[in-house]
Amino acid sequence: MTVLFILTGVAFILLPFAPTLVEVLRKSDSKALKITDTLLKDPRSNPDLIFWHLAQVLNLEGLVKLAETVNVSQEKYLGDSILAVPSGSLGRLPKKVARAVCAGNLTLEAKTGYPSKLLGLKSITTGSQNALNEIHALNKLTLSANSKVIWWASGQEVEVQDLVSLPGKIQAKDQITFKARARFHLAEAPVIKAATGVSMTHEMDRDFGKLPYFKADMPHHVEPNTELESNMVIRSTLIVHKNAKIFGHVKAHKKIILEQGAQVYGNLVCMGDIELKGGNYVSGCLLSQKTALIGPQCKIGNALHQITCAAKIMKIQAPAQIHGVLRAWKTGEIG
């Protein structure tokens, strides 16, 4: 009787700890979501805020006043660490300069490092083999051959020349053009071109909400020159053969291959690799958990439908064209 009384008392005391004991013995999916450095890296999304912020730091009302203030014929400090520089060529900057701003067009000296933030109220052309931290132009930004941007580059229009390395973010309000080979991690613009881009006729997007779902557990083939209206979930490999069209969203577990000229009017999502052989069109997002190989003459998204094209490893063969966000979580190559 005494033992029963003691056990009852112990059970009563341990009762509040029951959920903890259950969690230890049989873990639930209650682990906090992992917030990676890639998510925290750059919370800013609009490069125009850089110029407005500078105007506020200098107690100026808007960009017109900013342009008037930084329009100088020789270098002039605006505070302790902000340097206004004249139009023309810009050489190496003193270490104490946090921001260098120019009211006109600016050209950087070749084989020079610029750890300071560079801002141009018109256009900026870097030199070859520049090492840059952050650079922004209100008009055109040209990143010359063999340069590197560590953090962020932006402009109304951005031109990326041969062998530029972009471990940070590159952004344009209108268009980014990769003229030749480049390495990237994150590019964002209404139009992103590898070389000349792609001129392609394609049909208008459709509403896929009411389409039926086709599901298969085995490898599946969509035959050449056929059209299929269906959302698809393939728990294996999907091969869309030459010139076939799928009107619907597509998901596969192992691999997706689009043969020459195949088109998908919807999202293309794969837990494995995605390979576009060439001349392909994908109207929606292209998302791969592993590798995305995008062949020549491919187009993803369109002017009216900006999308996300993302993969752990991404290789793009020019010419190609993407509308929206281009993201390589590990490495991205254009060539």
Side-chain angles (χ1 to χ4, degrees), residues 112-126:
T112 303
Y114 293 89
S116 308
K117 182 184 297 184
L118 305 180
L119 300 100
L121 296 178
K122 289 189 178 177
S123 296
I124 301 179
T125 300
T126 75

Side-chain angles (χ1 to χ4, degrees), residues 108-112 126-131 144-147:
L108 306 186
E109 189 176 275
K111 300 181 180 179
T112 303
T126 75
S128 61
Q129 300 182 49
N130 279 161
S144 298
N146 293 287
S147 293

Side-chain angles (χ1 to χ4, degrees), residues 41 132 134 260 278 291 304:
K41 185 176 181 181
L132 304 153
E134 189 169 343
Q260 186 74 31
T291 299
L304 300 177

Side-chain angles (χ1 to χ4, degrees), residues 160-164 177-184 193-197 292-298 314-322 326 332-335:
V160 183
Q161 296 182 357
D162 195 25
L163 292 174
V164 171
T177 304
F178 291 91
K179 302 294 285 186
R181 297 164 293 174
R183 292 182 178 273
F184 71 93
K193 292 183 177 181
T196 56
L293 302 176
I294 300 174
Q297 298 292 341
C298 287
M314 184 173 296
K315 296 182 180 181
I316 300 174
Q317 189 175 348
Q321 188 164 313
I322 295 94
L326 186 59
E333 295 179 10
I334 293 176

Side-chain angles (χ1 to χ4, degrees), residues 81-298:
S81 61
I82 300 175
L83 182 65
V85 298
S87 302
S89 179
L90 179 67
R92 194 177 302 274
L93 293 167
K95 289 184 179 180
K96 71 173 186 177
V97 176
R99 300 181 185 93
V101 56
C102 180
N105 297 317
L106 198 61
T107 302
L108 306 186
E109 189 176 275
K111 300 181 180 179
T112 303
Y114 293 89
S116 308
K117 182 184 297 184
L118 305 180
L119 300 100
L121 296 178
K122 289 189 178 177
S123 296
I124 301 179
T125 300
T126 75
S128 61
Q129 300 182 49
N130 279 161
L132 304 153
N133 181 39
E134 189 169 343
I135 183 168
H136 305 276
L138 274 181
N139 293 339
K140 184 176 181 180
L141 172 63
T142 302
L143 300 174
S144 298
N146 293 287
S147 293
K148 184 175 185 177
V149 181
I150 300 295
W151 179 248
W152 192 10
S154 73
Q156 183 80 21
E157 177 185 348
V158 180
E159 179 180 304
V160 183
Q161 296 182 357
D162 195 25
L163 292 174
V164 171
S165 179
L166 300 164
K169 178 179 182 179
I170 179 171
Q171 190 173 19
K173 293 178 70 175
D174 288 343
Q175 179 174 298
I176 298 171
T177 304
F178 291 91
K179 302 294 285 186
R181 297 164 293 174
R183 292 182 178 273
F184 71 93
H185 275 282
L186 176 59
E188 182 178 342
V191 181
I192 302 171
K193 292 183 177 181
T196 56
V198 176
S199 177
M200 178 185 291
T201 24
H202 48 76
E203 301 181 42
M204 295 292 292
D205 290 342
R206 304 184 187 182
D207 181 11
F208 306 120
K210 297 180 181 180
L211 286 177
Y213 271 87
F214 172 82
K215 297 181 180 181
D217 295 326
M218 302 294 289
H220 185 73
H221 295 257
V222 178
E223 295 302 321
N225 303 303
T226 59
E227 293 189 8
L228 176 66
E229 283 201 19
S230 177
N231 295 312
M232 303 182 74
V233 178
I234 309 299
R235 294 184 178 89
S236 185
T237 296
L238 172 66
I239 300 176
V240 184
H241 288 278
K242 186 174 180 180
N243 297 326
K245 294 181 181 180
I246 298 176
F247 294 92
H249 302 304
V250 175
K251 178 181 179 181
H253 285 211
K254 290 187 177 180
K255 189 172 184 177
I256 296 176
I257 298 174
L258 268 58
E259 297 286 359
Q260 186 74 31
Q263 300 184 355
V264 174
Y265 290 81
N267 298 327
L268 199 63
V269 180
C270 189
M271 295 167 66
D273 299 334
I274 295 178
E275 183 176 359
L276 277 57
K277 295 288 191 179
N280 306 110
Y281 175 65
V282 178
S283 73
C285 296
L286 186 151
L287 306 173
S288 167
Q289 287 191 5
K290 293 185 179 179
T291 299
L293 302 176
I294 300 174
Q297 298 292 341
C298 287

Side-chain angles (χ1 to χ4, degrees), residues 9-24:
V10 172
F12 183 77
I13 293 170
L14 294 178
L15 186 62
F17 299 97
T20 303
L21 294 172
V22 171
E23 179 66 20
V24 170

